Amino acid sequence: MADDPLDTLREQIRRLDLELVARAAERVALARRVGEIKRARRLAMVDYAQERTVLERARAAAVDLGLDPKVAEDLFARLIGASVTAQDEDSLRVSGTGVGRTAVVVGGAGRMGRWFGRFLSAQGYTTGSLDPAAAPDDDAWSRAALSTADLVICSTPPTVIAGLYGAWQTNPPAGLVVDIASIKTPLIEPIRSLQRAGGRVASIHPMFGPSVVMLRDADVVVCDTGDPEATEGVERLFRPTTARLVRLPLAEHDRVMADLLALAHAAAVAFALALPAEDHPVRSTTFQALELLAAAVMRESPDVYYEIQAMNPHSGEALARLSAALDRILATVGARDASGFRTLFDEGRARTRCEA
């Protein structure tokens, strides 16, 4: 009996799929070796010109082979991402920033706390989680190590951090104390008080969530607390990675975040709340994009997102602009003003740097 041609073709596809995976792994392994040479020569880990060359080469090859060039571009963009992630992991490991040093992550059982635990362990830190939800022996070790640890990361809500800083004023931790809070206003005075008590305090805001693996193009905001050594110490943690360090004055942080977080989150929540109770049988690409964004926001902690709205003194202004924008749309459409609607688009394009 002759082989079924469908089974034969599926077997060929299976073998090709396995070969693709093997080739991808081989490519990442070669990228690790490239990373070794870059570190030895003190070259930047990300080479955007080379990445552009790789993507253009992939698109051209796809066209020659009758493949949609977008498929090739997406495939190679992911391979580049995997390669940079592997190089980042190697850079963290060989940097040895934390070898022989200890770190305590306060709130280490939370999602961002666990992320920092992995991040610091990769750099050689002996890391513990000070958190009632952590393993009892881990929590006990961290409590004992807190006063002498080289690094203390505070991954808890701002109000909790403010209370900790107040309690630590009588005996500040010997190591560098760093908060990763999304809101800084409630921490400004506690930071100053802990500094006056002799503490070394830095303040950062990672502009990514705990699901992020690749730090390429991820921003880490470093707030200036007036302690250059503390700032240098926390920036040193991220220098082996491809993250982008952005310095902001501590007092300016929340004004910027009112737009980047409060406004963006509110728009996503409002869209989610405006969705119909029942699904429609069809979906547009715009609807799907917004629904995915809103769903990602709604999966996050409502307590954290409430603090971002309620504790930022500048969020009210941002939300007022959102409300006013919706009122303008309603008024323009209600007046059947086509020219006015074009004006809204022109203004929106200018603000999003989008060309018609």
Side-chain angles (χ1 to χ4, degrees), residues 170-201:
T170 55
N171 184 27
L176 174 61
V177 177
V178 185
D179 81 83
I180 64 167
S182 301
I183 300 298
K184 304 300 185 185
T185 298
L187 298 180
I188 293 177
E189 183 50 39
I191 286 174
R192 300 301 181 218
S193 297
L194 188 56
Q195 288 175 323
R196 287 192 292 268
R200 295 188 298 124
V201 190

Side-chain angles (χ1 to χ4, degrees), residues 50 59 62 70 75 90 108 119-120 142 197-198 203 209-210 216 223 229 233 261 326 334 343 345:
Q50 178 62 21
R59 285 193 293 264
K70 188 68 170 63
L75 174 63
D90 291 345
F119 178 68
L120 296 173
S142 300
S203 182
R216 176 176 177 261
C223 295
E229 290 186 9
L261 297 183
L326 182 57
T343 299
F345 256 62

Side-chain angles (χ1 to χ4, degrees), residues 19 34 116 122 181 235 251 277 285:
E19 185 176 350
V34 169
F116 266 94
E235 289 184 344
T285 53

